Amino acid sequence: MDKIVIFFSSVFGTGYIKYASGTFGSLVGILLWVLFVPDTYIFQIFVLAAIFIISVLFSSLAEGIYNKKDDRKIVVDEVAGMWCSVAFLPKTFMFLFAGFLLFRIFDIKKPLFIKKIQKIRGGFGITIDDIVAGIFANVILQVARFVIY
């Protein structure tokens, strides 16, 4: 069971990359989004709910395995946040790239209250700051989309 938890919480081992594991986890997340998540917005709601639940569950279990709060090997939360950043947007290079950049900026810098919510314990705390970072990125992209189109 531990191997399954490690495999999924590290997003197929991406979390074990020595440097910038969160960035690589986000890149895998964007690739998974492009390949497997359809453009149907109602379906995307269910996919976002599923990845949130999966991230909270696997992050919580992995934290127990690693015996360390929010270990850097846990990157499934980056996938959840990345998906939030590009949800309900066209799958164009511009939006995907901008979503990736904005998400990484918000995830790394943790402005406003994101840093505070990261202190919540367990898998929920590991995941929720990335979800909020993804939502911030998405709001900016939705405004840009409105202005552009």
Side-chain angles (χ1 to χ4, degrees), residues 2-57:
D2 286 0
K3 288 183 180 183
I4 293 169
V5 170
I6 289 169
F7 181 73
F8 286 110
S9 68
S10 70
V11 185
F12 323 123
T14 307
Y16 283 86
I17 296 173
K18 192 170 183 165
Y19 300 104
S21 59
T23 298
F24 284 104
S26 298
L27 285 172
V28 171
I30 203 91
L31 181 64
L32 293 171
W33 181 267
V34 169
L35 293 175
F36 299 112
V37 179
D39 292 336
T40 311
Y41 291 169
I42 191 73
F43 186 78
Q44 289 181 12
I45 292 170
F46 292 108
V47 169
L48 292 172
I51 193 65
F52 176 75
I53 292 166
I54 290 166
S55 180
V56 169
L57 175 67

Side-chain angles (χ1 to χ4, degrees), residues 30 33 37-41 44 48 82-92 94-100 102 134-135 137-146 149:
I30 203 91
W33 181 267
V37 179
D39 292 336
T40 311
Y41 291 169
Q44 289 181 12
L48 292 172
M82 188 70 247
W83 286 12
C84 286
S85 75
V86 295
F88 318 117
L89 292 164
K91 287 184 182 177
T92 64
M94 182 189 77
F95 280 114
L96 295 170
F97 183 71
F100 173 80
L102 287 170
I135 290 169
N138 191 281
V139 167
I140 291 170
L141 293 174
Q142 293 293 349
V143 170
R145 178 183 183 194
F146 178 77
Y149 293 109

Side-chain angles (χ1 to χ4, degrees), residues 63-83:
E63 196 172 53
I65 292 168
Y66 295 127
N67 201 23
K68 182 179 178 189
K69 182 177 175 9
D70 200 1
D71 192 286
R72 65 171 205 76
K73 295 179 200 109
I74 302 169
V75 294
V76 67
D77 55 319
E78 263 72 28
V79 173
M82 188 70 247
W83 286 12

